[in-house]
């Protein structure tokens, strides 16, 4: 039954990334259609004097998107960011008076440097691909064939015809001088798929705190790693996998290997392929 169920499932790259971030949550969301988060009830008269993590992320995501579009159009980004902040204030999404000024400063603080680095990358990769690249993969996973269908955007080329994917992320890649690995997982899976669907290419990641480069891999190696992740995803869609992401990364950073997870992900060879 499990094998038949696994073989019938299909996935997207973002679903695989969400699974690696939180296997138990992915099981409830994807397999059962159950969402355990509960939004906090808020009075319509509530005045925001400070931003929680989610609200801060959402507002900064809007600012980064607006600024990125300006940079791509060879326009200065900060005037567009200021216009977007003014709109957010009019919409009541920022506090009023001095509190709004403090919020604005906090939201804008990391963006100058972020847009400057983004502009350098856009200059190095000046030619944008007009359409996203389709991803249509069939992975021979342990539980049966898994179809992966998705699209990859943000692709650019340099004058030599080489390809790069430029991702400007709202979430920080580094937090308190440590890699914030959960924000690397989906770009990593998309990078693996790109080696197969697009060809050898680089992924450049930039965030308000931290940056990184994912280098090309041979297509057969990328497929093997993606297939191992797909096998784990299939197992995780039949039962919640007892995996704590941050603990697992700390264990690997201290020299742990993947052999200890083979009872969940198959044999030791397949388990090792899931390493980032």
């Amino acid at each position: 039954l499990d094998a038949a169920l696994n073989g019938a499932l299909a996935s997207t790259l973002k679903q695989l990334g969400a699974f690696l971030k939180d296997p138990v949550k992915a099981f409830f969301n994807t397999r059962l259609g159950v969402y355990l988060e509960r939004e906090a009830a808020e009075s319509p008269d509530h005045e925001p004097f400070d931003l929680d993590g989610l609200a801060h992320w959402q507002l900064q995501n809007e600012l980064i998107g607006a600024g990125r579009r300006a940079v791509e159009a060879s326009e200065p980004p900060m005037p567009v960011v200021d216009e977007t902040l003014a709109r957010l204030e009019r919409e009541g999404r920022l506090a009023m008076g001095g509190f709004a000024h403090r919020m604005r400063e906090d939201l804008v603080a990391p963006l100058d440097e972020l847009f400057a680095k983004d502009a350098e990358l856009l200059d190095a990769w000046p030619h944008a691909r007009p359409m996203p690249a389709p991803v249509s993969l069939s992975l021979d996973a342990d539980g049966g064939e898994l179809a992966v269908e998705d699209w990859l955007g943000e692709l650019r080329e340099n004058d030599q015809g080489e390809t790069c994917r430029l991702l400007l992320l709202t979430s920080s890649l580094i937090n308190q001088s440590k890699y914030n690995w959960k924000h690397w997982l989906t770009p990593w899976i998309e990078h693996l798929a790109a080696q197969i669907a697009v060809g050898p290419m680089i992924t450049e990641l930039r965030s308000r705190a931290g940056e990184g480069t994912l280098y090309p891999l041979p297509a057969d190696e990328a497929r093997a790693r993606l297939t191992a992740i797909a096998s784990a995803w299939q197992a995780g869609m039949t039962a919640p996998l007892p995996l704590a992401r941050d603990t697992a990364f700390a264990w690997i950073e201290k020299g742990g290997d993947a052999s200890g997870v083979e009872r969940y992900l198959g044999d030791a060879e397949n388990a090792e392929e899931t390493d980032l």
Side-chain angles (χ1 to χ4, degrees):
L1 176 61
D2 285 351
L5 177 63
N6 286 336
L9 291 173
S11 181
T12 67
L13 298 173
K14 288 181 173 53
Q15 283 178 319
L16 293 179
F19 165 74
L20 286 187
K21 287 181 183 179
D22 192 334
V24 175
K25 180 179 177 180
F27 171 76
F28 280 97
N29 290 176
T30 305
R31 182 70 187 93
L32 302 181
V34 174
Y35 297 83
L36 302 179
E37 299 88 354
R38 296 182 62 184
E39 295 184 3
E42 193 171 273
S43 167
D45 296 325
H46 174 71
E47 172 69 23
F49 291 105
D50 201 0
L51 298 172
D52 60 25
L54 177 59
H56 190 281
W57 184 92
Q58 290 171 333
L59 294 175
Q60 204 159 56
N61 190 51
E62 289 194 41
L63 299 179
I64 289 175
R68 177 68 182 277
R69 289 188 291 274
V71 171
E72 289 177 340
S74 300
E75 299 174 358
M78 296 316 293
V80 177
V81 169
D82 289 337
E83 292 173 5
T84 305
L85 278 169
R87 173 178 59 80
L88 294 173
E89 187 171 356
R90 290 194 302 270
E91 292 173 354
R93 297 171 66 184
L94 300 180
M96 299 178 65
F99 291 102
H101 181 70
R102 188 190 70 180
M103 283 185 184
R104 291 168 69 113
E105 287 185 338
D106 185 48
L107 289 166
V108 170
L111 298 188
D112 258 335
E113 184 178 356
L114 180 61
F115 290 136
K117 292 179 179 179
D118 189 45
E120 291 177 3
L121 285 174
L122 291 173
D123 287 341
W125 303 90
H127 310 297
R129 288 201 179 188
M131 297 291 290
V135 174
S136 182
L137 303 178
S138 178
L139 302 175
D140 188 18
D142 290 345
E145 186 175 295
L146 180 71
V148 178
E149 304 283 343
D150 217 322
W151 297 85
L152 290 173
E154 308 295 334
L155 297 176
R156 303 183 70 87
E157 295 180 354
N158 60 16
D159 291 334
Q160 290 72 47
E162 298 168 322
T163 303
C164 179
R165 188 166 187 241
L166 305 185
L167 296 181
L168 196 61
L169 307 178
T170 304
S171 302
S172 298
L173 293 170
I174 294 176
N175 184 27
Q176 297 180 347
S177 301
K178 295 182 179 180
Y179 286 113
N180 208 359
W181 288 116
K182 64 183 179 181
H183 299 313
W184 294 73
L185 292 172
T186 297
W188 167 247
I189 287 176
E190 293 171 341
H191 181 73
L192 293 177
Q195 309 307 307
I196 306 167
V198 178
M201 56 167 282
I202 292 172
T203 298
E204 291 281 5
L205 306 174
R206 294 294 181 270
S207 76
R208 58 186 178 175
E211 59 189 57
T213 302
L214 303 177
Y215 292 99
L217 290 170
D220 57 348
E221 181 180 347
R223 180 176 288 274
R225 290 175 179 266
L226 204 54
T227 299
I229 294 169
S231 296
W233 185 83
Q234 288 177 328
M237 291 301 101
T238 60
L241 295 186
L243 174 65
R245 179 201 62 231
D246 293 340
T247 302
F249 274 118
W251 176 56
I252 291 172
E253 288 174 349
K254 294 296 183 181
D257 59 48
S259 60
V261 301
E262 58 188 76
R263 64 182 178 275
Y264 304 122
L265 304 183
D267 60 26
E269 180 179 353
N270 285 337
E272 289 171 359
E273 289 176 346
T274 65
D275 287 350
L276 290 180

